[in-house]
Amino acid sequence: MARPKSEDKRSAILAAATRVIAAQGLGAPTAAIAKAAGVSNGSLFTYFETKHDLFDQLYLELKVDMASQALADLPAGSPPRAQVLHLWTRWLAWARACPEKRRALAHLCVSDAITPASRQIIAASFAQVLDLLEGIRAAGPMRGVPLPFVLSLMNALADATLDFALQDPDHADAHGREAFEAFWRMLS
């Protein structure tokens, strides 16, 4: 008879995978992840059928964590600029507070292990944000540019901002405000 799965062990494996992937990339062996989680390699595969399954589940967990932080207390009735500023500020705060999660997520976002179904789940969880950005983009100077390209520019600007914020924490908030102003001018 199989032992019941422990949510604590599953969480420990996902936390360890975050740390190990952030440090070693997607080539990190599952044995290293299991060791960091304090479980056997066999136990890891009790919770995740394959390494790809582990990566896919971690991607979902990290994206949902990031989205919940960014969307928390979103001032939905506020003007679009205030809403986007809120999202931007919360997103940067999450990434600054969780640099390992940010690094692991950067690796996972380009991984072939992430299923189309998982990418669709995340897109659906960000539908409110995508609708907001699409409405602003459609009326601004980027109206002739596809939204995915605008999102790529936004991600690149956020990554550059975060790199500077982590290197210069005393001016992190100023870097975030300046980057937002640049993004807003581009978008609206």
Side-chain angles (χ1 to χ4, degrees):
M1 178 185 242
R3 295 168 69 188
K5 293 180 183 176
S6 159
E7 189 57 38
D8 289 342
K9 271 191 186 174
R10 183 180 185 281
S11 294
I13 293 167
L14 289 170
T18 299
R19 292 189 307 274
V20 172
I21 292 168
Q24 298 180 25
L26 298 175
T30 56
I33 295 169
K35 183 177 180 180
V39 301
S40 70
N41 205 31
S43 289
L44 184 146
F45 290 109
T46 299
Y47 291 86
F48 305 96
E49 291 182 22
T50 65
K51 186 176 183 180
H52 280 192
D53 182 40
L54 170 61
F55 287 178
D56 194 52
Q57 292 301 308
L58 181 59
Y59 169 83
L60 283 170
E61 181 165 297
L62 294 176
K63 280 285 200 174
V64 166
D65 183 48
M66 181 182 69
S68 68
Q69 292 298 314
L71 292 168
D73 303 320
L74 181 68
S78 296
R81 185 181 194 286
Q83 292 181 58
V84 175
L85 177 60
H86 174 88
L87 292 165
W88 180 266
T89 303
R90 297 293 299 250
W91 177 24
L92 293 181
W94 175 85
R96 285 174 45 204
C98 310
E100 285 182 325
K101 289 181 178 182
R102 174 185 170 233
R103 278 193 302 276
L105 193 52
H107 289 295
L108 292 165
C109 283
V110 297
S111 171
D112 292 335
I114 310 309
T115 64
S118 291
R119 292 191 192 277
Q120 288 176 341
I121 289 168
I122 296 307
S125 72
F126 280 98
Q128 178 182 6
V129 174
L130 296 176
D131 289 346
L132 173 64
L133 293 174
E134 177 59 21
I136 299 164
R137 183 205 60 81
M142 301 293 279
R143 66 183 152 275
V145 177
L147 184 60
F149 181 67
V150 173
L151 295 174
S152 292
L153 292 172
M154 181 182 72
N155 283 327
L157 184 57
D159 282 340
T161 303
L162 287 163
D163 288 343
F164 272 86
L166 292 171
Q167 293 170 17
D168 184 14
D170 293 340
H171 299 101
D173 291 337
H175 294 316
R177 284 189 305 274
E178 292 159 358
F180 174 77
E181 292 302 329
F183 175 65
W184 187 252
R185 285 190 303 273
M186 174 187 76
L187 184 63
S188 66

